[in-house]
Amino acid sequence: MLGATALAASGDSESVANAGFPALNWMNIRDSRGVELTHYRFATSPGSLFEPLETAVAVVLGLEFAGYIVIVTGAIWVIGYTMSFHWLDPFGRALSGIARSLDAQIGIPMVLIVATSIGAFIVAWFVLRGFHARAATQVVTMVGVAVIGPVFMAEPLEDVLSSHGLMSQGRDLGISVAAGLTGHTYADPAGLVATMQENLADNFARQPLQVWNFGHVIDDRAACAASWTAGVQRGSESAVVSGLRACGDLAAYHAALNPSMGQVGSGLVMLLCAGILLAFGAYLSVKIIWSALDSIFHGFAAIFGFAAGGFVYGPTQTFLVRNLVDSFYGAVVMAVYIIYLGLYVLFLDNLFDQAPGQGTVVLILGAVVEIVGLLQFRRLVGALHQGNEWIVNRFALALQQGPGGGGAGGGGGGSTALGMGSSGLDNAGVPGLGLIAGAAALGTLNNNPASAWLFNRVSPLEPHSMKRQSAMLDQWGVWNARWNGEKAGGPDGLATHAYLDRLHLSHAARDATAVARNDGRGGVNTARGAAAAVDGVLVGGGAFLGQVAASLRGAGFTDEDMIQRAVEARGYLYKHAGDVPLTDKNLAEVVAASNYAASMNTPAAHAELERAALTYAFGREGVELQGSARRVGEEYMAAPSREGLNRIQKVASGEETAMYSAGDAAQILRWIGDEHAGRVSETVTDYITDPSNAENRRRFFAAQNAAIDTDYWATEATRSPASALAPGG
């Protein structure tokens, strides 16, 4: 408390706030808006000496936030750094030098002569004992080592560490497969890794922090998102809070000024769940590095095999084979791990996309799902290890045939010596193959027509097969039914015709959008175009707002947030326009829309206001006044008053006489209504185009208020501008 007071007194609090997390700035982890995670702030009231409980809550929230940012930033960096393979450069340079030095020490003619002499002696021994197959295998092995060895020894570890080696190819393969399986069409490794880091930053830092701090995701509002981003980049909590107030998100503004124990509890939950999820990603990253270094180690050990051990029959040859297989298999395992990690990260990204504004819920559900993922990953690791051992043993069996002649060479004895035993599916020496065989048998039984006849349903062993069969039969019943002698299904069936209203409403939305575009009011994926499309759907026969969103998608709109805001704006008018006590219902809609636009200050609200004003002016007959009638109408519009309107109404009803007739009075009333509508529609476009312009705002509300006053005054008499009869009516 004394330190905070001293900083406030010295004016250095802003510089301290801008410092962020200096120890983590070098990681340079940014969200999709380009903001570094280390610049994030938890905007809340620091309390005071007179509010000790609020001060304590703010301190606890600050500690939770610091721990949360450290965990999230560190884990995201570990995942991105691992998949970028920048860590391989220092290892590669150091190990390449060591490999060349080792090659220079043991790859000398003396060692080669000794090793080949021992190998030749073993060949001669096999020939003398009558093991001709073994002798031939040994000769072929020695020749293979002699041919491949110089190529390998010329650049040791080149196939492992080079930019086109096993490590790089395994990494590119893993990222490409992960991208394809999650629906990404591009497979540039560097670009996808950067995208993964930005998505992780958004999903684990930006959106959860906003939910934690303000109770909801403020990025849903473009203005609030920009204000929050600007305040965070400045490193000022006060700028964040003032920006929320300026953008109109009062709920977030009050949440920032009132820290609560609920926020403390939410912070604990987020800290725990995010830590678990990102710890699993970091664990996968460590496994990737481990498998890569394992492949490098075996490539390093293969130098001994090519220099000498590969020429000598027995364990030394098996050592060379094991190192070659393990080196290649390590790259394969690394690719599998990268696929798993890529799927994990991109799956979380898609999961967050499917639940916008619910980052905390996804964190909790993801933590539960991760338990299953961890168990499956352990099984995957075990299966890969068993597969590696099986491949190595099969190569060893081929090189070291058991006693006896012929091509088989007594393979059974060799198998026993290597711990393999028989290669039958039911043998414990090949774990997992028996289970695979059993699963294949069950699959054959499940897809057999005889099983379908026996159980009276297709694929009877699959989950929910009975429910699927029942649903299929019910659907058949609908499509095969006949109504009034006509079949429901088929291209000309009655059930098919029931869906044609969707096509009709989509066309109505498309036509209304085209009209708005031609009038200069925007087209597809614009707020003004969306407002016009919503009106087109409802005018075209849409019975309820639930049909509007689907119709806009059918008309080509792809911005889901824009569609949602347009539907919400029209829904507000449906609910509140009837509460405005005006005779002219179109004018009542304009009033409700202007109230909504002033409250929300969003493009969708402004576009709906423009649409209501244009509807208010649409269809007016354009009454023309002449002579004294023209003068009376213009005098009223220049200075509207209750007395002036009532006098015109009394002349129209025959209660009074004037220099103009009752018919002229009726025309004047209609002309006044048309003039009000015209002035409202003329001023609304300037107002919504630049709502911050005080003159535009004054002109619009002056025109609207004049129309409202006229409507109110008209209800005091027998006839109003909205209900005045046409000439001769």
Side-chain angles (χ1 to χ4, degrees), residues 59-426:
V59 170
V60 174
L61 288 174
L63 293 174
E64 288 181 344
F65 170 72
Y68 185 80
I69 290 298
V70 170
I71 292 175
V72 171
T73 304
I76 294 176
W77 177 84
V78 168
I79 293 174
Y81 186 72
T82 300
M83 300 191 73
S84 68
F85 264 54
H86 293 316
W87 55 269
L88 188 59
D89 296 334
F91 284 107
R93 289 189 293 269
L95 292 176
S96 295
I98 296 175
R100 285 191 293 269
S101 300
L102 181 63
D103 176 37
Q105 294 296 324
I106 67 173
I108 58 178
M110 181 60 68
V111 175
L112 179 63
I113 292 173
V114 172
T116 53
S117 299
I118 296 174
F121 173 80
I122 294 175
V123 171
W125 177 260
F126 285 160
V127 172
L128 291 176
R129 293 291 304 272
F131 301 148
H132 302 291
R134 277 194 179 185
T137 302
Q138 176 66 9
V139 171
V140 172
T141 303
M142 293 177 63
V143 172
V145 173
V147 172
I148 301 175
V151 178
F152 180 86
M153 300 290 279
E155 287 290 338
L157 301 183
E158 176 70 12
D159 290 335
V160 178
L161 299 175
S162 68
S163 59
H164 56 276
L166 294 177
M167 294 294 99
S168 298
Q169 293 180 6
R171 175 248 192 179
D172 293 345
L173 174 64
I175 291 180
S176 299
V177 173
L181 291 177
T182 51
H184 290 70
T185 57
Y186 60 94
D188 174 48
L192 190 57
V193 169
T195 301
M196 286 181 179
Q197 284 190 310
E198 290 180 355
N199 292 338
L200 286 172
D202 283 348
N203 295 333
F204 285 99
R206 185 180 179 98
Q207 295 181 8
L209 174 59
Q210 292 176 359
V211 175
W212 179 13
N213 200 165
F214 311 117
H216 60 275
V217 176
I218 64 175
D219 283 345
D220 293 340
R221 294 185 179 183
C224 293
S227 299
W228 188 85
T229 300
V232 169
Q233 287 177 330
R234 289 177 54 189
S236 172
E237 296 180 11
S238 60
V240 172
V241 175
S242 61
L244 294 176
R245 184 176 185 179
C247 76
D249 196 340
L250 298 181
Y253 173 76
H254 289 299
L257 294 181
N258 298 280
S260 64
M261 295 302 296
Q263 289 180 323
V264 174
S266 299
L268 292 175
V269 173
M270 291 178 57
L271 196 64
L272 176 63
C273 294
I276 292 174
L277 290 170
L278 293 174
F280 185 42
Y283 171 71
L284 286 178
S285 300
V286 172
K287 294 295 291 184
I288 291 174
I289 297 177
W290 192 329
S291 63
L293 294 180
D294 191 45
S295 179
I296 295 173
F297 168 79
H298 287 292
F300 189 82
I303 297 175
F304 295 90
F306 281 112
F311 298 97
V312 180
Y313 177 84
T316 55
Q317 282 183 345
T318 304
F319 177 77
L320 174 60
V321 171
R322 175 175 291 277
N323 285 316
L324 292 177
V325 173
D326 285 350
S327 181
F328 177 81
Y329 206 78
V332 175
V333 170
M334 185 198 64
V336 174
Y337 289 169
I338 289 178
I339 293 173
Y340 202 97
L341 177 58
L343 287 174
Y344 174 72
V345 173
L346 295 174
F347 166 74
L348 288 178
D349 181 39
N350 292 338
L351 190 61
F352 276 96
D353 289 341
Q354 298 303 318
Q358 302 180 19
T360 308
V361 177
V362 177
L363 285 176
I364 297 174
L365 295 179
V368 176
V369 173
E370 186 225 348
I371 298 176
V372 179
L374 181 60
L375 295 176
Q376 295 298 327
F377 183 75
R378 293 181 61 184
R379 293 181 180 179
L380 175 63
V381 172
L384 291 173
H385 177 72
Q386 292 174 359
N388 182 43
E389 293 298 322
W390 186 83
I391 293 175
V392 170
N393 285 326
R394 296 306 297 175
F395 274 103
L397 284 175
L399 294 177
Q400 303 177 39
Q401 300 178 16
S415 300
T416 303
L418 291 172
M420 280 293 296
S422 173
S423 61
L425 294 180
D426 57 345

